[in-house]
Amino acid sequence: MTHYQQLLKIQTAGKSLCKITSKVQAVVAESSVKIGLCTVFLRHTSASLVIQENADPDVLRDLENFLATLVPEDSRRYYHNDEGPDDMPAHIRTALTQTSEQIPISQGKLMLGTWQGIYIWEHRQRSHVREVVVHIAGE
């Protein structure tokens, strides 16, 4: 079994979903693994990873609006606000989503569905450089 790992540094644009599918697929191609498993891990506590709709941007907008309603940015509600009013809400949003995804690999490609994309979900107002570990295991 082969293991291949790469660290990606992704600049986000502030609170939004940043599509990284092609960057992850490029790592899979570099690995030369034809069948296996790709683990994508985000090394942060105020952003998350999601696999979501990649065709209609309204889906992403609706997700952002829903999470903003569920976890409002109101510093009066939280003790932790060292970096501003979006600090603790970003941590809660990450806890409600996830920081890793696993995707099967077949014929050297991610086995995502037709309408699926991999996204970093930036929960902070300002842009950040986010680190994503892509680990591939297979043959």
Side-chain angles (χ1 to χ4, degrees), residues 20-136:
I20 62 168
T21 313
S22 61
K23 289 175 174 43
V24 175
Q25 180 57 57
V27 176
V28 171
E30 276 182 41
S31 76
S32 299
V33 167
K34 298 300 176 201
I35 186 166
L37 189 63
C38 176
T39 301
V40 185
F41 175 73
L42 184 67
R43 300 180 65 199
H44 301 278
T45 61
S46 59
S48 54
L49 285 173
V50 294
I51 293 177
Q52 199 43 255
E53 165 85 43
N54 66 8
D56 185 351
D58 286 344
V59 171
L60 302 180
R61 268 186 241 124
D62 287 342
L63 284 169
E64 289 178 294
N65 289 337
F66 176 81
L67 204 53
T69 301
L70 187 64
V71 185
E73 290 181 7
D74 179 357
S75 59
R76 296 170 297 167
R77 301 176 69 135
Y78 312 110
Y79 294 107
H80 178 76
N81 60 8
D82 294 347
E83 296 177 41
D86 67 338
D87 194 4
M88 191 60 212
H91 293 297
I92 294 169
R93 291 170 182 163
T94 300
L96 293 175
T97 51
Q98 59 243 1
T99 56
S100 66
E101 293 282 0
Q102 291 189 322
I103 305 126
I105 298 167
S106 181
Q107 299 178 356
K109 295 186 179 171
L110 295 168
M111 292 294 298
L112 292 167
T114 302
W115 309 115
Q116 289 182 315
I118 306 166
Y119 295 86
I120 294 175
W121 196 344
E122 179 60 67
H123 301 304
R124 300 301 304 271
Q125 293 288 346
R126 65 181 177 86
S127 68
H128 286 79
V129 174
R130 299 300 189 174
E131 293 184 349
V132 177
V133 178
V134 180
H135 183 96
I136 298 157

